[in-house]
Protein backbone atom coordinates (compact mmCIF):
# COMPACT_ATOMS: atom_id res chain seq x y z
CA UNK A 1 0.00 0.00 0.00
CA UNK A 2 2.57 2.61 -1.06
CA UNK A 3 1.68 6.25 -0.86
CA UNK A 4 1.68 8.13 -4.18
CA UNK A 5 1.66 11.84 -4.97
CA UNK A 6 -0.62 13.16 -7.72
CA UNK A 7 0.70 15.20 -10.68
CA UNK A 8 -1.97 17.89 -10.38
CA UNK A 9 -0.60 21.39 -10.60
CA UNK A 10 -0.97 22.60 -7.07
CA UNK A 11 1.56 24.71 -5.25
CA UNK A 12 3.30 22.77 -2.50
CA UNK A 13 3.73 25.99 -0.57
CA UNK A 14 0.05 26.94 -0.42
CA UNK A 15 -0.86 28.26 3.00
CA UNK A 16 -2.93 26.24 5.46
CA UNK A 17 -5.17 29.24 6.11
CA UNK A 18 -6.32 29.29 2.49
CA UNK A 19 -7.13 25.57 2.76
CA UNK A 20 -9.08 26.11 5.92
CA UNK A 21 -11.17 28.89 4.36
CA UNK A 22 -12.05 26.69 1.37
CA UNK A 23 -13.00 23.80 3.60
CA UNK A 24 -15.12 25.93 5.89
CA UNK A 25 -16.93 27.50 2.94
CA UNK A 26 -17.92 24.23 1.28
CA UNK A 27 -17.44 21.29 3.69
CA UNK A 28 -19.04 18.66 1.44
CA UNK A 29 -20.17 15.28 2.79
CA UNK A 30 -17.78 12.40 2.03
CA UNK A 31 -17.31 8.71 2.97
CA UNK A 32 -14.41 8.33 5.35
CA UNK A 33 -12.37 5.48 6.79
CA UNK A 34 -12.87 4.36 10.41
CA UNK A 35 -10.17 2.06 11.81
CA UNK A 36 -12.00 -0.67 13.78
CA UNK A 37 -9.04 -2.78 14.82
CA UNK A 38 -5.33 -2.10 14.52
CA UNK A 39 -2.82 -4.30 12.79
CA UNK A 40 -0.68 -6.76 14.72
CA UNK A 41 2.25 -4.29 14.60
CA UNK A 42 0.26 -1.02 14.77
CA UNK A 43 1.31 -0.25 11.19
CA UNK A 44 -1.85 1.79 10.68
CA UNK A 45 0.02 4.71 12.27
CA UNK A 46 2.97 4.61 9.87
CA UNK A 47 1.12 6.43 7.08
CA UNK A 48 1.36 3.56 4.58
CA UNK A 49 -1.94 2.08 5.64
CA UNK A 50 -5.45 3.51 5.82
CA UNK A 51 -6.13 5.49 8.97
CA UNK A 52 -9.18 7.09 10.51
CA UNK A 53 -10.10 10.23 8.60
CA UNK A 54 -8.89 9.15 5.14
CA UNK A 55 -11.38 10.11 2.41
CA UNK A 56 -12.57 7.26 0.19
CA UNK A 57 -12.13 8.10 -3.52
CA UNK A 58 -12.59 4.75 -5.25
CA UNK A 59 -13.77 1.16 -4.63
CA UNK A 60 -13.00 -1.80 -6.92
CA UNK A 61 -15.02 -5.00 -6.32
CA UNK A 62 -14.35 -7.55 -9.03
CA UNK A 63 -15.04 -5.82 -12.35
CA UNK A 64 -17.10 -3.08 -10.70
CA UNK A 65 -15.48 0.33 -10.05
CA UNK A 66 -17.20 2.92 -7.86
CA UNK A 67 -15.94 6.49 -7.52
CA UNK A 68 -16.70 9.36 -5.19
CA UNK A 69 -19.24 10.79 -4.58
CA UNK A 70 -21.04 7.60 -3.53
CA UNK A 71 -24.80 7.40 -3.78
CA UNK A 72 -26.40 7.29 -0.30
CA UNK A 73 -22.91 7.44 1.25
CA UNK A 74 -22.08 4.74 3.80
CA UNK A 75 -25.49 3.02 3.50
CA UNK A 76 -25.08 2.73 -0.26
CA UNK A 77 -21.65 1.13 0.14
CA UNK A 78 -23.05 -1.30 2.76
CA UNK A 79 -25.75 -2.45 0.29
CA UNK A 80 -23.15 -2.99 -2.43
CA UNK A 81 -20.92 -4.98 -0.04
CA UNK A 82 -23.93 -7.06 1.06
CA UNK A 83 -24.72 -7.94 -2.57
CA UNK A 84 -21.09 -8.77 -3.32
CA UNK A 85 -20.75 -10.91 -0.17
CA UNK A 86 -23.86 -12.91 -1.14
CA UNK A 87 -22.39 -13.39 -4.62
CA UNK A 88 -19.12 -14.58 -2.97
CA UNK A 89 -17.24 -11.66 -4.52
CA UNK A 90 -15.39 -10.56 -1.37
CA UNK A 91 -12.14 -9.17 -2.79
CA UNK A 92 -12.07 -5.36 -2.69
CA UNK A 93 -9.54 -2.58 -3.28
CA UNK A 94 -10.01 0.75 -1.51
CA UNK A 95 -8.30 3.92 -2.75
CA UNK A 96 -8.29 6.88 -0.37
CA UNK A 97 -7.14 10.52 -0.34
CA UNK A 98 -5.22 12.15 2.46
CA UNK A 99 -4.97 15.94 2.60
CA UNK A 100 -6.95 18.77 0.99
CA UNK A 101 -4.94 19.32 -2.19
CA UNK A 102 -5.48 15.88 -3.76
CA UNK A 103 -1.79 15.17 -3.23
CA UNK A 104 -1.53 11.89 -1.30
CA UNK A 105 -3.27 8.65 -2.20
CA UNK A 106 -2.99 5.13 -0.85
CA UNK A 107 -4.69 1.80 -1.44
CA UNK A 108 -5.70 -1.21 0.61
CA UNK A 109 -6.43 -4.70 -0.65
CA UNK A 110 -8.92 -6.35 1.63
CA UNK A 111 -11.79 -8.81 1.84
CA UNK A 112 -15.41 -8.17 2.82
CA UNK A 113 -16.46 -9.84 6.08
CA UNK A 114 -19.57 -9.46 8.30
CA UNK A 115 -19.30 -6.99 11.15
CA UNK A 116 -21.00 -8.88 13.96
CA UNK A 117 -20.77 -5.93 16.37
CA UNK A 118 -22.51 -3.48 14.03
CA UNK A 119 -25.64 -5.54 13.45
CA UNK A 120 -27.33 -7.50 10.69
CA UNK A 121 -26.23 -6.92 7.09
CA UNK A 122 -23.34 -4.76 8.23
CA UNK A 123 -19.88 -5.41 6.80
CA UNK A 124 -16.30 -4.36 7.31
CA UNK A 125 -12.99 -4.93 5.55
CA UNK A 126 -10.04 -7.01 6.71
CA UNK A 127 -6.62 -6.46 5.18
CA UNK A 128 -5.31 -9.32 3.05
CA UNK A 129 -1.75 -9.12 4.40
CA UNK A 130 -2.82 -8.66 8.06
CA UNK A 131 -6.27 -10.05 9.02
CA UNK A 132 -6.01 -8.31 12.40
CA UNK A 133 -6.36 -4.95 10.67
CA UNK A 134 -10.04 -4.08 10.10
CA UNK A 135 -11.70 -0.90 8.82
CA UNK A 136 -15.22 0.38 8.21
CA UNK A 137 -16.90 3.31 6.45
CA UNK A 138 -18.38 6.42 8.10
CA UNK A 139 -20.20 9.49 6.73
CA UNK A 140 -18.30 12.69 7.60
CA UNK A 141 -17.78 16.15 6.24
CA UNK A 142 -14.50 16.87 4.49
CA UNK A 143 -13.61 19.36 7.22
CA UNK A 144 -14.03 16.67 9.89
CA UNK A 145 -11.78 14.35 7.90
CA UNK A 146 -9.06 16.98 7.62
CA UNK A 147 -9.27 17.70 11.33
CA UNK A 148 -8.89 13.98 12.09
CA UNK A 149 -5.91 13.74 9.78
CA UNK A 150 -4.33 16.75 11.47
CA UNK A 151 -4.83 15.23 14.93
CA UNK A 152 -3.01 12.01 14.04
CA UNK A 153 -0.23 12.58 16.58
CA UNK A 154 -2.55 13.18 19.53
CA UNK A 155 -4.79 10.27 18.51
CA UNK A 156 -1.74 8.02 18.35
CA UNK A 157 -0.85 8.94 21.93
CA UNK A 158 -4.48 8.35 22.94
CA UNK A 159 -4.46 4.93 21.29
CA UNK A 160 -1.31 4.06 23.20
CA UNK A 161 -3.07 4.91 26.46
CA UNK A 162 -6.29 3.07 25.66
CA UNK A 163 -4.88 -0.08 24.04
CA UNK A 164 -5.05 -2.94 26.58
CA UNK A 165 -3.04 -6.14 26.65
CA UNK A 166 -5.27 -8.98 25.56
CA UNK A 167 -5.46 -12.26 27.45
CA UNK A 168 -7.26 -15.52 26.96
CA UNK A 169 -7.21 -19.27 27.42
CA UNK A 170 -5.12 -21.63 25.30
CA UNK A 171 -5.36 -25.40 25.32
CA UNK A 172 -2.54 -27.38 26.92
CA UNK A 173 -1.71 -31.12 26.53
CA UNK A 174 -1.85 -31.92 30.25
CA UNK A 175 -2.14 -35.70 29.94
CA UNK A 176 0.70 -35.90 27.42
CA UNK A 177 3.04 -33.77 29.55
CA UNK A 178 2.19 -35.69 32.73
CA UNK A 179 2.82 -39.03 31.01
CA UNK A 180 6.10 -37.89 29.51
CA UNK A 181 7.66 -35.81 32.27
CA UNK A 182 6.50 -37.05 35.68
CA UNK A 183 8.21 -39.91 37.45
CA UNK A 184 4.77 -41.07 38.54
CA UNK A 185 1.97 -40.08 36.17
CA UNK A 186 -0.68 -39.24 38.75
CA UNK A 187 1.58 -37.88 41.49
CA UNK A 188 3.79 -34.83 41.82
CA UNK A 189 7.32 -34.58 43.19
CA UNK A 190 6.41 -31.71 45.51
CA UNK A 191 6.88 -32.68 49.16
CA UNK A 192 5.83 -30.81 52.26
CA UNK A 193 5.39 -31.17 55.99
CA UNK A 194 2.44 -29.47 57.70
CA UNK A 195 3.17 -28.43 61.28
CA UNK A 196 0.18 -27.62 63.48
CA UNK A 197 0.78 -25.20 66.35
CA UNK A 198 1.86 -26.98 69.52
CA UNK A 199 -0.40 -26.98 72.55
CA UNK A 200 1.23 -25.20 75.50
CA UNK A 201 0.38 -28.08 77.84
CA UNK A 202 -1.21 -31.50 77.48
CA UNK A 203 -4.94 -31.01 77.04
CA UNK A 204 -4.51 -27.25 77.04
CA UNK A 205 -6.56 -24.93 74.86
CA UNK A 206 -3.63 -22.52 74.61
CA UNK A 207 -1.21 -22.85 71.70
CA UNK A 208 2.30 -21.60 71.20
CA UNK A 209 2.71 -18.67 68.87
CA UNK A 210 3.60 -18.74 65.17
CA UNK A 211 7.29 -18.16 65.82
CA UNK A 212 7.42 -21.41 67.82
CA UNK A 213 5.91 -23.35 64.89
CA UNK A 214 8.39 -21.79 62.47
CA UNK A 215 11.26 -22.66 64.81
CA UNK A 216 10.16 -26.29 65.01
CA UNK A 217 9.96 -26.46 61.20
CA UNK A 218 13.46 -25.05 60.97
CA UNK A 219 14.80 -27.52 63.53
CA UNK A 220 13.15 -30.48 61.76
CA UNK A 221 14.71 -29.50 58.43
CA UNK A 222 18.22 -29.04 59.84
CA UNK A 223 18.00 -32.28 61.81
CA UNK A 224 16.85 -34.18 58.72
CA UNK A 225 19.72 -32.83 56.65
CA UNK A 226 22.26 -33.48 59.41
CA UNK A 227 21.12 -37.10 59.73
CA UNK A 228 21.91 -37.65 56.05
CA UNK A 229 18.50 -37.17 54.43
CA UNK A 230 19.27 -35.64 50.98
CA UNK A 231 16.65 -32.88 50.93
CA UNK A 232 16.87 -29.16 50.31
CA UNK A 233 14.66 -26.34 51.55
CA UNK A 234 12.25 -24.93 48.94
CA UNK A 235 9.73 -22.69 50.67
CA UNK A 236 7.79 -22.13 53.88
CA UNK A 237 4.33 -20.62 54.28
CA UNK A 238 1.53 -20.24 56.78
CA UNK A 239 -1.67 -22.15 56.13
CA UNK A 240 -5.01 -21.21 57.64
CA UNK A 241 -7.26 -24.04 58.83
CA UNK A 242 -10.83 -23.33 59.92
CA UNK A 243 -12.29 -24.99 63.01
CA UNK A 244 -15.24 -24.47 65.31
CA UNK A 245 -14.42 -23.15 68.79
CA UNK A 246 -16.56 -22.46 71.82
CA UNK A 247 -16.46 -21.73 75.51
CA UNK A 248 -13.14 -20.88 77.08
CA UNK A 249 -11.28 -21.43 73.80
CA UNK A 250 -13.30 -18.71 72.11
CA UNK A 251 -12.87 -16.29 74.98
CA UNK A 252 -9.08 -16.62 75.15
CA UNK A 253 -8.31 -16.37 71.45
CA UNK A 254 -7.43 -13.22 69.57
CA UNK A 255 -10.55 -11.67 68.05
CA UNK A 256 -10.03 -10.80 64.39
CA UNK A 257 -13.12 -8.60 64.48
CA UNK A 258 -11.70 -6.27 67.10
CA UNK A 259 -9.47 -3.39 66.05
CA UNK A 260 -7.60 -3.54 69.34
CA UNK A 261 -6.55 -7.15 68.67
CA UNK A 262 -5.38 -6.70 65.08
CA UNK A 263 -1.82 -5.97 66.17
CA UNK A 264 -1.72 -9.35 67.93
CA UNK A 265 -2.63 -11.33 64.81
CA UNK A 266 0.87 -11.21 63.33
CA UNK A 267 2.27 -13.88 65.65
CA UNK A 268 -0.92 -15.63 66.80
CA UNK A 269 -1.37 -19.34 66.06
CA UNK A 270 -5.10 -19.28 66.76
CA UNK A 271 -7.55 -16.44 66.33
CA UNK A 272 -11.33 -16.35 66.08
CA UNK A 273 -14.24 -14.46 64.65
CA UNK A 274 -18.01 -14.72 64.81
CA UNK A 275 -20.03 -15.56 61.68
CA UNK A 276 -23.48 -14.24 60.76
CA UNK A 277 -25.18 -16.92 62.85
CA UNK A 278 -23.22 -16.13 66.00
CA UNK A 279 -21.02 -19.24 65.74
CA UNK A 280 -17.45 -18.80 66.90
CA UNK A 281 -15.03 -19.80 64.13
CA UNK A 282 -11.38 -20.42 64.90
CA UNK A 283 -8.54 -20.02 62.42
CA UNK A 284 -5.50 -22.17 63.14
CA UNK A 285 -2.31 -20.89 61.53
CA UNK A 286 -0.24 -23.93 60.64
CA UNK A 287 3.12 -23.84 58.88
CA UNK A 288 3.81 -25.80 55.68
CA UNK A 289 7.44 -26.56 54.94
CA UNK A 290 8.23 -27.41 51.32
CA UNK A 291 11.29 -29.47 50.51
CA UNK A 292 12.72 -31.33 47.56
CA UNK A 293 15.20 -34.17 46.99
CA UNK A 294 18.70 -32.77 46.60
CA UNK A 295 19.60 -34.87 43.57
CA UNK A 296 16.18 -35.82 42.26
CA UNK A 297 13.99 -38.88 42.67
CA UNK A 298 14.58 -42.09 40.72
CA UNK A 299 12.74 -45.43 40.51
CA UNK A 300 14.30 -48.82 41.21
CA UNK A 301 12.51 -51.87 39.85
CA UNK A 302 13.16 -54.94 42.01
CA UNK A 303 12.31 -58.15 40.14
CA UNK A 304 11.45 -61.28 42.10
CA UNK A 305 12.59 -64.81 41.12
CA UNK A 306 11.07 -68.12 42.18
CA UNK A 307 14.07 -69.09 44.32
CA UNK A 308 14.37 -65.77 46.18
CA UNK A 309 14.08 -66.32 49.94
CA UNK A 310 14.80 -62.71 50.94
CA UNK A 311 15.00 -59.33 49.28
CA UNK A 312 18.46 -58.61 50.65
CA UNK A 313 17.96 -55.27 52.37
CA UNK A 314 16.68 -53.81 55.63
CA UNK A 315 14.72 -50.62 56.27
CA UNK A 316 14.73 -48.22 59.21
CA UNK A 317 13.22 -44.86 60.08
CA UNK A 318 14.82 -41.65 61.27
CA UNK A 319 13.55 -39.60 64.18
CA UNK A 320 12.19 -37.13 61.64
CA UNK A 321 10.04 -39.85 60.00
CA UNK A 322 12.02 -40.74 56.86
CA UNK A 323 12.17 -44.38 55.74
CA UNK A 324 15.60 -45.41 54.46
CA UNK A 325 17.61 -48.46 53.45
CA UNK A 326 19.73 -49.26 56.50
CA UNK A 327 21.58 -52.43 55.43
CA UNK A 328 22.09 -54.69 52.42
CA UNK A 329 23.37 -58.23 52.02
CA UNK A 330 26.81 -58.23 50.44
CA UNK A 331 27.54 -61.96 50.18
CA UNK A 332 24.62 -62.89 47.91
CA UNK A 333 25.27 -61.71 44.37
CA UNK A 334 21.87 -63.02 43.21
CA UNK A 335 19.75 -61.23 45.82
CA UNK A 336 17.02 -58.95 44.43
CA UNK A 337 18.73 -55.94 46.02
CA UNK A 338 21.95 -56.74 44.16
CA UNK A 339 20.30 -57.50 40.80
CA UNK A 340 18.35 -54.24 40.86
CA UNK A 341 21.41 -52.13 41.72
CA UNK A 342 19.99 -51.09 45.10
CA UNK A 343 23.04 -52.47 46.95
CA UNK A 344 25.49 -50.43 44.88
CA UNK A 345 23.39 -47.30 45.32
CA UNK A 346 23.31 -47.88 49.08
CA UNK A 347 27.11 -48.23 49.21
CA UNK A 348 27.49 -44.97 47.28
CA UNK A 349 25.25 -43.27 49.82
CA UNK A 350 27.32 -44.60 52.72
CA UNK A 351 30.49 -43.22 51.15
CA UNK A 352 28.91 -39.76 51.01
CA UNK A 353 27.49 -40.02 54.56
CA UNK A 354 23.98 -39.88 53.15
CA UNK A 355 20.88 -41.96 53.74
CA UNK A 356 19.23 -43.81 50.87
CA UNK A 357 15.74 -42.47 51.60
CA UNK A 358 12.71 -44.35 50.25
CA UNK A 359 10.13 -41.88 48.96
CA UNK A 360 7.56 -44.24 47.41
CA UNK A 361 6.58 -47.88 47.48
CA UNK A 362 4.48 -48.93 44.48
CA UNK A 363 3.99 -45.23 43.67
CA UNK A 364 2.59 -44.48 47.16
CA UNK A 365 4.44 -41.75 49.04
CA UNK A 366 5.93 -42.94 52.34
CA UNK A 367 7.36 -39.65 53.62
CA UNK A 368 6.35 -37.77 56.80
CA UNK A 369 3.59 -35.29 56.07
CA UNK A 370 2.09 -33.75 59.23
CA UNK A 371 3.00 -32.85 62.83
CA UNK A 372 0.22 -32.93 65.41
CA UNK A 373 -0.40 -30.31 68.14
CA UNK A 374 1.32 -32.67 70.57
CA UNK A 375 4.49 -32.61 68.46
CA UNK A 376 4.20 -36.14 67.06
CA UNK A 377 5.35 -36.64 63.46
CA UNK A 378 2.88 -38.66 61.43
CA UNK A 379 4.78 -41.08 59.23
CA UNK A 380 4.90 -44.73 58.14
CA UNK A 381 6.09 -47.50 60.44
CA UNK A 382 8.74 -49.94 59.31
CA UNK A 383 6.86 -53.08 60.39
CA UNK A 384 3.94 -52.60 58.00
CA UNK A 385 6.35 -51.66 55.22
CA UNK A 386 8.39 -54.82 55.88
CA UNK A 387 5.24 -56.90 55.73
CA UNK A 388 4.21 -55.23 52.49
CA UNK A 389 7.60 -55.89 50.91
CA UNK A 390 7.63 -59.50 52.11
CA UNK A 391 4.20 -60.04 50.55
CA UNK A 392 5.63 -58.78 47.27
CA UNK A 393 8.31 -61.47 47.52
CA UNK A 394 5.85 -64.22 48.40
CA UNK A 395 3.48 -63.24 45.59
CA UNK A 396 6.41 -62.84 43.15
CA UNK A 397 5.19 -59.31 42.32
CA UNK A 398 7.94 -56.83 41.33
CA UNK A 399 8.57 -53.90 43.69
CA UNK A 400 8.73 -50.39 42.28
CA UNK A 401 10.63 -48.31 44.81
CA UNK A 402 11.55 -44.63 44.47
CA UNK A 403 14.54 -43.23 46.34
CA UNK A 404 16.08 -39.79 46.83
CA UNK A 405 19.45 -39.06 45.24
CA UNK A 406 22.00 -36.77 46.89
CA UNK A 407 23.87 -35.92 43.69
CA UNK A 408 22.75 -35.92 40.06
CA UNK A 409 26.17 -37.17 38.97
CA UNK A 410 25.67 -40.45 40.83
CA UNK A 411 25.63 -43.47 38.54
CA UNK A 412 22.06 -44.75 38.58
CA UNK A 413 21.66 -48.52 38.21
CA UNK A 414 19.49 -49.42 35.24
CA UNK A 415 17.02 -52.22 35.65
CA UNK A 416 14.56 -53.75 33.22
CA UNK A 417 12.16 -50.87 33.84
CA UNK A 418 13.10 -48.07 31.45
CA UNK A 419 11.45 -45.36 33.44
CA UNK A 420 11.03 -42.08 31.67
CA UNK A 421 12.15 -40.06 34.68
CA UNK A 422 15.79 -41.01 34.06
CA UNK A 423 15.82 -39.00 30.87
CA UNK A 424 14.67 -35.82 32.61
CA UNK A 425 17.18 -33.30 33.85
CA UNK A 426 15.60 -31.62 36.89
CA UNK A 427 16.30 -28.02 37.75
CA UNK A 428 19.59 -27.62 39.54
CA UNK A 429 19.22 -27.05 43.25
CA UNK A 430 21.63 -25.11 45.48
CA UNK A 431 24.07 -27.17 47.57
CA UNK A 432 23.57 -27.52 51.29
CA UNK A 433 25.60 -25.29 53.61
CA UNK A 434 28.62 -27.03 55.19
CA UNK A 435 27.10 -27.13 58.66
CA UNK A 436 24.27 -29.46 57.56
CA UNK A 437 26.52 -31.80 55.60
CA UNK A 438 28.39 -33.07 58.64
CA UNK A 439 27.83 -36.71 59.48
CA UNK A 440 26.47 -37.62 62.91
CA UNK A 441 28.37 -39.67 65.37
CA UNK A 442 27.18 -43.30 65.31
CA UNK A 443 23.97 -43.68 67.28
CA UNK A 444 20.58 -45.32 66.94
CA UNK A 445 19.77 -43.27 63.86
CA UNK A 446 23.16 -43.44 62.11
CA UNK A 447 23.46 -45.79 59.15
CA UNK A 448 26.23 -48.26 59.95
CA UNK A 449 26.50 -51.34 57.67
CA UNK A 450 26.64 -54.59 59.61
CA UNK A 451 29.44 -57.11 59.08
CA UNK A 452 28.43 -59.97 56.78
CA UNK A 453 28.48 -62.58 59.57
CA UNK A 454 26.16 -60.46 61.74
CA UNK A 455 23.81 -59.90 58.85
CA UNK A 456 23.56 -63.63 58.20
CA UNK A 457 22.85 -64.31 61.85
CA UNK A 458 20.12 -61.72 62.16
CA UNK A 459 18.72 -61.75 58.65
CA UNK A 460 15.18 -62.66 59.65
CA UNK A 461 11.82 -61.14 58.75
CA UNK A 462 10.43 -58.19 60.64
CA UNK A 463 7.45 -60.18 61.86
CA UNK A 464 9.83 -62.25 64.02
CA UNK A 465 11.14 -59.24 65.92
CA UNK A 466 10.07 -58.37 69.44
CA UNK A 467 8.93 -54.81 69.67
CA UNK A 468 7.39 -52.44 72.14
CA UNK A 469 4.65 -50.15 70.85
CA UNK A 470 2.65 -47.36 72.31
CA UNK A 471 -0.26 -45.23 71.19
CA UNK A 472 0.71 -42.31 68.97
CA UNK A 473 0.52 -39.03 70.85
CA UNK A 474 -1.30 -37.55 67.84
CA UNK A 475 -4.39 -39.40 69.02
CA UNK A 476 -4.62 -41.87 66.11
CA UNK A 477 -4.97 -45.60 66.64
CA UNK A 478 -1.72 -46.20 64.80
CA UNK A 479 1.46 -47.20 66.60
CA UNK A 480 4.93 -45.87 66.90
CA UNK A 481 7.48 -48.67 66.95
CA UNK A 482 10.56 -48.39 69.13
CA UNK A 483 13.46 -50.46 70.41
CA UNK A 484 13.51 -53.30 67.92
CA UNK A 485 15.32 -56.35 69.21
CA UNK A 486 16.98 -56.42 65.77
CA UNK A 487 18.94 -53.40 64.58
CA UNK A 488 17.18 -53.45 61.18
CA UNK A 489 13.93 -54.62 59.62
CA UNK A 490 15.10 -57.22 57.12
CA UNK A 491 12.92 -58.26 54.21
Amino acid sequence: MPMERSNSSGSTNSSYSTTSRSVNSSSPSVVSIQCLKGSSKADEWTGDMLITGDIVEELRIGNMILRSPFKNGKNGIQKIMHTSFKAKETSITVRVRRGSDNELFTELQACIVPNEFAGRRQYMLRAIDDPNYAIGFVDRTEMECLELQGSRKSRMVGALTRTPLQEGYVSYPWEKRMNELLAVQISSSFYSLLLLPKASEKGSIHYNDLEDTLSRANAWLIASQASGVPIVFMNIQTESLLTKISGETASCTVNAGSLSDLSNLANASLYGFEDYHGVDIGVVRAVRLWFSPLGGEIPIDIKIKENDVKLGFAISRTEEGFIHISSVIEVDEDAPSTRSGLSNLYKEAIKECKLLVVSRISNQKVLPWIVSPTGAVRCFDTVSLSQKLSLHRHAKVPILMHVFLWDRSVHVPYSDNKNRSRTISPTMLPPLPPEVRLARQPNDNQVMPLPPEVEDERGSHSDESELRHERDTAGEFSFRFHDFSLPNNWV
Side-chain angles (χ1 to χ4, degrees):
M1 295 171 289
M3 296 293 297
E4 61 183 38
R5 191 175 296 273
S6 67
N7 295 325
S8 60
S9 58
S11 173
T12 58
N13 297 323
S14 58
S15 66
Y16 180 76
S17 60
T18 304
T19 302
S20 300
R21 285 194 298 270
S22 65
V23 170
N24 290 331
S25 61
S26 58
S27 187
S29 179
V30 296
V31 176
S32 175
I33 294 296
Q34 180 68 37
C35 184
L36 301 179
K37 188 175 181 182
S39 66
S40 57
K41 297 182 180 179
D43 289 336
E44 65 273 14
W45 298 105
T46 62
D48 293 335
M49 300 183 72
L50 275 59
I51 60 175
T52 298
D54 286 345
I55 301 172
V56 180
E57 290 291 323
E58 183 180 278
L59 298 176
R60 293 196 298 269
I61 305 175
N63 297 325
M64 180 173 55
I65 300 178
L66 303 173
R67 292 185 175 88
S68 177
F70 301 98
K71 184 179 179 179
N72 296 328
K74 168 194 169 185
N75 292 334
I77 293 177
Q78 285 290 339
K79 290 180 181 179
I80 294 173
M81 289 195 297
H82 175 69
T83 303
S84 299
F85 185 80
K86 289 295 183 181
K88 298 183 179 180
E89 188 68 55
T90 58
S91 179
I92 183 173
T93 301
V94 184
R95 181 180 173 87
V96 300
R97 170 170 58 89
R98 191 171 300 159
S100 61
D101 294 334
N102 297 333
E103 290 181 337
L104 299 177
F105 292 87
T106 188
E107 290 185 352
L108 173 69
Q109 292 183 346
C111 59
I112 302 172
V113 296
N115 187 356
E116 299 176 354
F117 299 101
R120 187 166 172 258
R121 293 189 177 185
Q122 297 296 310
Y123 297 87
M124 63 182 181
L125 306 184
R126 286 194 181 275
I128 296 295
D129 54 352
D130 190 347
N132 291 314
Y133 178 56
I135 63 170
F137 299 104
V138 178
D139 290 325
R140 290 189 177 102
T141 64
E142 187 171 356
M143 183 180 66
E144 291 174 338
C145 293
L146 294 176
E147 289 176 350
L148 285 172
Q149 293 173 14
S151 63
R152 174 175 169 272
K153 182 66 176 179
S154 60
R155 289 188 295 110
M156 190 186 306
V157 175
L160 174 61
T161 305
R162 294 190 305 270
T163 301
L165 296 178
Q166 301 294 331
E167 61 177 337
Y169 291 96
V170 295
S171 60
Y172 187 80
W174 291 104
E175 287 73 17
K176 180 181 179 182
R177 292 292 183 265
M178 292 168 66
N179 291 336
E180 291 177 349
L181 303 178
L182 295 182
V184 180
Q185 296 179 13
I186 58 174
S187 182
S188 71
S189 294
F190 301 132
Y191 300 103
S192 67
L193 180 76
L194 182 66
L195 294 92
L196 300 177
K198 191 174 186 299
S200 301
E201 298 176 0
K202 187 175 182 180
S204 173
I205 59 175
H206 298 276
Y207 294 89
N208 294 349
D209 58 18
L210 181 61
E211 181 62 27
D212 175 76
T213 312
L214 290 170
S215 300
R216 290 190 295 121
N218 196 2
W220 180 90
L221 177 66
I222 295 177
S224 299
Q225 293 170 334
S227 67
V229 177
I231 58 173
V232 65
F233 168 79
M234 297 300 292
N235 192 23
I236 193 166
Q237 66 186 60
T238 58
E239 193 161 312
S240 299
L241 308 175
L242 296 181
T243 182
K244 183 179 178 181
I245 57 177
S246 60
E248 187 181 353
T249 306
S251 61
C252 67
T253 56
V254 178
N255 186 2
S258 173
L259 291 175
S260 60
D261 282 340
L262 288 180
S263 59
N264 299 324
L265 289 179
N267 203 34
S269 291
L270 175 64
Y271 63 90
F273 62 91
E274 191 176 278
D275 67 2
Y276 294 109
H277 303 286
V279 178
D280 290 320
I281 304 297
V283 180
V284 178
R285 298 179 71 189
V287 169
R288 186 173 292 276
L289 173 67
W290 293 93
F291 59 91
S292 179
L294 186 60
E297 181 183 15
I298 63 158
I300 297 178
D301 195 6
I302 304 176
K303 302 291 186 180
I304 310 297
K305 292 183 177 180
E306 289 291 337
N307 58 346
D308 287 334
V309 295
K310 58 179 66 177
L311 296 177
F313 63 90
I315 58 174
S316 297
R317 190 183 65 211
T318 68
E319 288 181 342
E320 293 74 34
F322 289 95
I323 303 296
H324 62 97
I325 306 297
S326 55
S327 296
V328 294
I329 291 180
E330 299 181 359
V331 295
D332 189 356
E333 294 296 331
D334 195 41
S337 59
T338 305
R339 295 195 306 264
S340 64
L342 182 64
S343 296
N344 292 335
L345 200 57
Y346 168 77
K347 294 173 185 177
E348 291 290 333
I350 292 298
K351 291 179 182 178
E352 299 295 329
C353 296
K354 297 294 183 182
L355 298 181
L356 189 57
V357 172
V358 179
S359 58
R360 307 173 196 257
I361 298 291
S362 300
N363 292 333
Q364 179 184 356
K365 293 181 180 180
V366 292
L367 298 173
W369 73 93
I370 194 171
V371 177
S372 73
T374 60
V377 180
R378 188 164 185 178
C379 54
F380 289 85
D381 70 88
T382 55
V383 171
S384 63
L385 284 174
S386 298
Q387 293 172 347
K388 181 87 169 181
L389 295 173
S390 295
L391 286 173
H392 272 273
R393 179 176 61 81
H394 291 306
K396 301 298 184 289
V397 176
I399 303 170
L400 181 60
M401 177 186 297
H402 285 73
V403 298
F404 282 172
L405 286 183
W406 56 95
D407 191 345
R408 288 180 174 83
S409 63
V410 174
H411 174 70
V412 178
Y414 283 82
S415 60
D416 295 336
N417 177 31
K418 305 297 184 184
N419 193 287
R420 59 188 168 275
S421 64
R422 294 194 180 102
T423 64
I424 300 172
S425 177
T427 305
M428 292 301 295
L429 297 174
L432 293 177
E435 61 270 14
V436 299
R437 286 184 285 175
L438 300 177
R440 276 187 178 176
Q441 295 298 321
N443 55 31
D444 293 339
N445 297 313
Q446 179 70 37
V447 177
M448 298 297 293
L450 295 175
E453 62 272 14
V454 177
E455 291 179 357
D456 291 340
E457 271 181 28
R458 300 181 178 181
S460 58
H461 296 293
S462 59
D463 52 0
E464 298 177 44
S465 60
E466 297 178 8
L467 51 94
R468 175 175 61 85
H469 56 266
E470 63 185 13
R471 183 175 176 181
D472 196 324
T473 54
E476 301 290 342
F477 287 97
S478 58
F479 295 93
R480 304 177 71 192
F481 298 90
H482 304 283
D483 301 335
F484 290 102
S485 59
L486 300 180
N488 300 295
N489 270 354
W490 284 92
V491 289

